[in-house]
């Protein structure tokens, strides 16, 4: 009889301990889940604002190089801003960025455009297939004289985007990430004479069809609503399970 009573007391103590543990842990878990859901809602608003801003920048009337420099100096974003520049291409300093386009492997051609003031702007002229990397295989692409290029401005990267990205192979002229400083140095262009951004040319037709412009992809995933629903849903489920447990304990 004493053993039965002792066993019942131990069982009751365990239930009581679990109850108090739940009263402490469940609110903490609920706060965490609700905080994560709210954070995702805030991220959703931020991403929607960013996408709207990018859409406005990319479709507005094109600005010139001087305006891009003014925006940078003012701390304003220039990424994906519709822009234009004029100058002459320096084809013998062309740099090649490994890429795929429309399911085909090849390169984006980053060619310095020498401006009227003697400075340079690296222009992503577009895509060429892998077997057309050598400029000699596409002489029609080496257009001479002053050119006016319209497209989207792109901010320079301050560092390699990921440790998984290979190091640039300057000797083979194959770049895996857009290191503007090294692109310039590898062709003996003084860094202070190279503008601190890029210009991605639009899809305007070019002689011979190469390079193919308009390669810029504006693809910023926006899954924050889905994530918010998930965190809030887990919070609701936690409350439901807790209430069900309390009802079962009382019954």
């Amino acid at each position: 009889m004493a053993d039965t009573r002792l066993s019942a007391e131990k069982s009751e103590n365990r239930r009581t301990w679990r109850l108090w543990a739940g009263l402490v842990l469940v609110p903490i878990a609920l706060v965490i889940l609700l905080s994560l859901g709210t954070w995702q809602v805030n991220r959703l608003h931020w991403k929607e604002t960013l996408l709207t801003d990018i859409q406005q920048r990319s479709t507005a009337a094109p600005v010139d190089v001087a305006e891009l420099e003014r925006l940078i100096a003012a701390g304003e974003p220039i990424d994906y801003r519709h822009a234009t520049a004029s100058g002459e291409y320096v084809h013998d300093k062309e740099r090649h960025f490994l890429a795929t386009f429309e399911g085909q492997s090849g390169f984006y051609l980053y060619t310095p455009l020498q401006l009227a003031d003697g400075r340079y702007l690296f222009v992503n002229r577009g895509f060429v297939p892998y077997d057309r990397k050598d400029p000699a295989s596409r002489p029609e692409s080496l257009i001479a004289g002053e050119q006016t290029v319209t497209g989207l401005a792109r901010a320079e990267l301050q560092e390699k985007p990921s440790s998984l990205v290979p190091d640039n192979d300057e000797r083979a002229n194959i770049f895996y990430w857009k290191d503007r400083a090294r692109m310039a140095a590898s062709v003996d262009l003084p860094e202070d004479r190279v503008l601190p951004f890029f210009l991605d040319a639009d899809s305007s037709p070019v002689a011979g069809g190469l390079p193919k412009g308009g390669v810029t992809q504006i693809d910023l995933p926006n899954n924050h609503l889905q994530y918010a629903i998930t965190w809030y849903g887990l919070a609701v489920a936690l409350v439901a399970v807790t209430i069900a447990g309390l009802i079962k304990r009382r019954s």
Side-chain angles (χ1 to χ4, degrees):
M1 188 67 143
D3 290 342
T4 300
R5 187 165 52 252
L6 182 60
S7 177
E9 290 177 355
K10 288 182 177 179
S11 179
E12 180 63 24
N13 288 338
R14 284 195 297 269
R15 285 197 295 270
T16 301
W17 182 87
R18 285 197 296 267
L19 174 63
W20 282 106
L23 291 175
V24 172
L25 296 177
V26 168
I28 293 175
L30 186 60
V31 168
I32 292 174
L33 292 172
L34 291 175
S35 297
L36 289 170
T38 301
W39 177 63
Q40 288 296 337
V41 169
N42 292 334
R43 292 284 292 175
L44 172 64
H45 294 324
W46 168 80
K47 183 61 70 67
E48 288 177 341
T49 300
L50 176 62
L51 291 172
T52 299
D53 190 23
I54 289 175
Q55 174 66 18
Q56 291 174 346
R57 281 184 246 155
S58 63
T59 57
V63 299
D64 60 15
V65 167
E67 176 64 10
L68 291 174
E69 292 183 290
R70 187 196 68 77
L71 291 169
I72 291 176
E76 297 291 331
I78 66 162
D79 228 10
Y80 302 110
R81 193 173 293 275
H82 199 195
T84 187
S86 296
E88 294 188 20
Y89 285 121
V90 186
H91 295 291
D92 61 349
K93 298 183 185 298
E94 180 180 279
R95 302 289 82 190
H96 303 140
F97 180 84
L98 189 68
T100 58
F101 181 65
E102 297 180 343
Q104 191 175 15
S105 62
F107 300 91
Y108 293 157
L109 303 185
Y110 280 81
T111 308
L113 183 74
Q114 187 170 21
L115 310 179
D117 61 8
R119 294 184 300 166
Y120 300 89
L121 169 63
F122 270 107
V123 174
N124 175 8
R125 298 182 59 206
F127 176 83
V128 296
Y130 201 89
D131 60 355
R132 306 294 293 277
K133 179 178 185 290
D134 185 353
S137 69
R138 45 179 170 80
E140 68 281 358
S141 71
L142 309 180
I143 50 180
E146 182 165 336
Q147 307 294 325
T148 297
V149 189
T150 301
L152 298 179
R154 300 302 311 276
E156 66 174 330
L157 298 178
Q158 300 301 321
E159 59 183 5
K160 185 192 293 189
S162 168
S163 59
L164 300 178
V165 176
D167 292 331
N168 292 326
D169 187 349
E170 296 177 21
R171 180 170 304 209
N173 191 6
I174 298 178
F175 286 79
Y176 300 97
W177 67 283
K178 297 182 294 183
D179 186 343
R180 181 191 61 88
R182 291 310 312 164
M183 286 174 128
S186 65
V187 287
D188 299 321
L189 291 178
E191 185 179 355
D192 62 351
R193 301 295 294 168
V194 180
L195 294 177
F197 51 88
F198 301 93
L199 179 62
D200 288 0
D202 63 19
S203 58
S204 298
V206 296
L210 291 177
K212 297 179 181 178
V215 298
T216 312
Q217 296 182 9
I218 304 177
D219 183 19
L220 301 180
N222 186 11
N223 300 317
H224 299 295
L225 177 60
Q226 174 185 336
Y227 297 150
I229 292 173
T230 298
W231 290 121
Y232 285 141
L234 289 173
V236 171
L238 177 62
V239 171
V241 169
T242 301
I243 293 174
L246 292 173
I247 294 175
K248 181 178 180 181
R249 176 181 173 82
R250 291 183 177 181
S251 61

